[in-house]
Amino acid sequence: DAGVTQSPTHLIKTRGQQVTLRCSPKSGHDTVSWYQQALGQGPQFIFQYYEEEERQRGNFPDRFSGHQFPNYSSELNVNALLLGDSALYLCASRAGEEFYNEQFFGPGTRLTVL
Amino acid sequence: AQSVAQPEDQVNVAEGNPLTVKCTYSVSGNPYLFWYVQYPNRGLQFLLKYITGDNLVKGSYGFEAEFNKSQTSFHLKKPSALVSDSALYFCAVRDSMWENRDDKIIFGKGTRLHILP
């Protein structure tokens, strides 16, 4: 049983560009959340998707947007990239909306903005 | 505002000795607390959680954590450290006052654990 998978593993972009990161949840999971982990920091919650809708959002600007597909996979889009967007982007999935169901994290996508 | 503090950036422990990684929190309601571990080039792995009940929580890989409400702490412990325990450890909290479907949890900055052979 594959866990949470993310692609690509690494990505290099320049300021002002746009990027799309992808996530496939663990089998049987229908809720996907995205986190940003800056160097030396803990992960910060970006948003959560359930039933193809954004259900919760952290303190991130509208440049960060997402999508969830009928097969529960998800994309994170970041427009007008800034140097400060350089980070490890983590996707997490779980079964159902209830927070006490364990989240499983993917290995992350390392985004570098030059 | 909800917050988590991990006061130590790094903890060094000799193999075979007990280890403690400290965590304190601040929430408005009751806390739900979590510990995760992160190995290089890997995502976060869940270790254990406290939702309610017994203050001593047992988790994966022989780790345990003790919830102390009066001290607002949730320290991670292991009786005998292994070299393979060397990793980055994150404490996290969510507030019971948030809706159950609220996936947001607040992570600490992490503590790097070095187990010395």
Side-chain angles (χ1 to χ4, degrees):
Chain A
D1 174 29
V4 180
T5 59
Q6 293 185 243
S7 63
T9 305
H10 296 86
L11 204 52
I12 299 176
K13 292 285 188 178
T14 57
R15 281 177 296 176
Q17 285 189 313
Q18 178 266 343
V19 68
T20 297
L21 311 181
R22 296 177 175 80
C23 170
S24 292
K26 182 177 170 64
S27 178
H29 288 187
D30 54 7
T31 301
V32 173
S33 295
W34 287 91
Y35 291 81
Q36 180 195 65
Q37 185 179 6
L39 197 62
Q41 301 294 319
Q44 286 195 315
F45 176 79
I46 303 175
F47 42 52
Q48 172 199 12
Y49 277 84
Y50 177 71
E51 293 186 338
E52 301 180 49
E53 291 185 359
E54 182 182 297
R55 294 302 186 100
Q56 305 291 334
R57 190 178 183 91
N59 295 325
F60 280 81
D62 292 344
R63 297 187 297 108
F64 289 78
S65 63
H67 189 75
Q68 186 177 36
F69 299 94
N71 66 354
Y72 309 121
S73 66
S74 177
E75 289 182 349
L76 164 65
N77 300 294
V78 186
N79 294 323
L81 285 168
L82 304 174
L83 294 179
D85 295 332
S86 295
L88 181 68
Y89 288 85
L90 297 168
C91 171
S93 73
R94 68 163 179 224
E97 284 188 288
E98 302 300 324
F99 77 92
Y100 43 75
N101 294 333
E102 180 184 337
Q103 285 192 86
F104 289 78
F105 283 80
T109 294
R110 174 77 59 188
L111 172 64
T112 302
V113 181
L114 302 177
Chain B
Q2 295 79 10
S3 66
V4 175
Q6 293 182 243
E8 303 151 318
D9 290 336
Q10 182 168 309
V11 171
N12 297 320
V13 177
E15 187 178 23
N17 282 1
L19 68 87
T20 298
V21 183
K22 296 179 180 177
C23 172
T24 58
Y25 65 88
S26 174
V27 295
S28 301
N30 292 317
Y32 300 143
L33 295 153
F34 307 82
W35 276 102
Y36 287 86
V37 60
Q38 187 174 36
Y39 297 98
N41 301 316
R42 302 271 296 274
L44 297 174
Q45 294 180 31
F46 171 81
L47 282 179
L48 51 80
K49 66 183 177 187
Y50 171 83
I51 303 298
T52 186
D54 195 348
N55 289 343
L56 185 63
V57 179
K58 294 190 181 297
S60 306
Y61 312 120
F63 284 94
E64 58 187 28
E66 186 167 11
F67 170 60
N68 187 316
K69 188 172 185 178
S70 63
Q71 297 186 4
T72 62
S73 68
F74 189 57
H75 301 332
L76 182 69
K77 300 180 180 183
K78 187 173 182 180
S80 179
L82 301 173
V83 173
S84 58
D85 293 330
S86 299
L88 188 57
Y89 290 80
F90 290 98
C91 181
V93 69
R94 80 183 300 281
D95 197 322
S96 65
M97 296 182 68
W98 297 341
E99 294 182 24
N100 279 349
R101 67 176 191 177
D102 192 331
D103 215 1
K104 179 177 61 179
I105 57 175
I106 307 298
F107 284 87
K109 290 186 176 182
T111 298
R112 189 163 298 280
L113 180 62
H114 284 287
I115 307 303
L116 309 171

